[in-house]
Amino acid sequence: MEFLKYLMLLFLIGDTTKCLCNGQDTDLFYPFGNEDIRSPRTDDGSSPEILLEKPFVYFGRVNQKTYVNNNGHLTFDGPFSQPMPYYLQSQFNRDIIAPLWTDMDNTVNGTISYRQVTSGGLLLAASNNINQYFPNLNFTASWLFIATWDKVPYYNNLQSKSTFQVVLVSGKTCHLQSCITVKSLRPHNFLCPAMTQVIQLIPF
């Protein structure tokens, strides 16, 4: 399929009545919480090195480890503390997956956590999620990496809260090896926000 030679982005706006609003939980995300490993409470910090249970191929690079950085991004070659996407030309040799790259501060409030999944119903959910929007792929997920920033405030603004999630998925299809989904909720003072979902398809 010719289009799979290129990175693809799919933006979907979800039902605003199902999002995080008035302190109520949401079902828009993959499960997170008690079974997750939590990142340290450090401003501009990062998780320790995370060894991936299965390799993740990203633009032809085979990655065996990753880092969940507190400022809203994943990296593969080491922790990354940069709080804002400035001077991007200096980062061209670094793979960065950034669902919400901004200056976050989890030292007082909010939780940053992650988990890996290699069996169970979440693999089926991820497969269905991808096949719903790309029905010709017949994709079957075999591994997930789920990282979640839950109610994390911005730096110098402890009253703010942002909740978002990135999911790395690897599996099998004749066309596709890896993909990424991003789900985010950005609370607003007056309106309950929509969910934004991004699916990136990475060819072999």
Side-chain angles (χ1 to χ4, degrees):
M1 299 175 67
E2 186 69 20
F3 65 88
L4 283 176
K5 292 182 179 179
Y6 305 94
L7 175 69
M8 298 192 306
L9 300 179
L10 175 65
F11 297 92
L12 301 170
I13 304 301
D15 183 356
T16 58
T17 64
K18 294 183 180 180
C19 61
L20 186 66
C21 194
N22 297 324
Q24 298 180 357
D25 292 333
T26 176
D27 59 358
L28 293 174
F29 295 93
Y30 286 82
F32 63 91
N34 293 335
E35 298 180 11
D36 288 8
I37 300 171
R38 294 191 176 190
S39 289
R41 291 188 176 276
T42 307
D43 186 34
D44 296 336
S46 177
S47 70
E49 177 183 279
I50 304 165
L51 298 179
L52 302 180
E53 296 182 19
K54 292 191 177 182
F56 182 74
V57 180
Y58 190 61
F59 287 104
R61 297 184 185 180
V62 180
N63 298 287
Q64 305 283 353
K65 61 184 179 180
T66 191
Y67 299 82
V68 178
N69 303 303
N70 292 0
N71 288 324
H73 37 65
L74 306 182
T75 46
F76 300 98
D77 59 347
F80 188 47
S81 62
Q82 186 168 320
M84 301 291 284
Y86 300 140
Y87 309 110
L88 288 180
Q89 64 273 17
S90 65
Q91 306 297 333
F92 281 166
N93 293 324
R94 163 173 272 163
D95 288 335
I96 302 173
I97 297 173
L100 180 58
W101 187 345
T102 190
D103 197 356
M104 314 293 289
D105 185 358
N106 70 329
T107 56
V108 177
N109 297 319
T111 300
I112 302 171
S113 62
Y114 54 90
R115 70 168 71 180
Q116 299 187 63
V117 178
T118 56
S119 62
L122 287 182
L123 295 180
L124 178 60
S127 301
N128 291 340
N129 193 359
I130 294 167
N131 288 319
Q132 177 182 358
Y133 304 112
F134 301 94
N136 295 328
L137 291 179
N138 193 25
F139 182 77
T140 302
S142 60
W143 169 85
L144 309 179
F145 180 84
I146 305 170
T148 307
W149 291 253
D150 183 30
K151 302 181 182 71
V152 182
Y154 298 107
Y155 180 74
N156 276 342
N157 186 1
L158 294 180
Q159 302 304 313
S160 62
K161 295 179 182 179
S162 285
T163 296
F164 54 99
Q165 184 180 79
V166 60
V167 183
L168 310 185
V169 187
S170 285
K172 297 179 180 179
T173 179
C174 58
H175 299 297
L176 178 66
Q177 185 167 351
S178 303
C179 74
I180 304 164
T181 69
V182 176
K183 297 183 178 182
S184 63
L185 294 176
R186 302 187 62 181
H188 190 278
N189 289 335
F190 305 103
L191 298 177
C192 187
M195 178 270 285
T196 301
Q197 181 175 357
V198 182
I199 297 181
Q200 299 180 344
L201 302 184
I202 315 301
F204 287 104

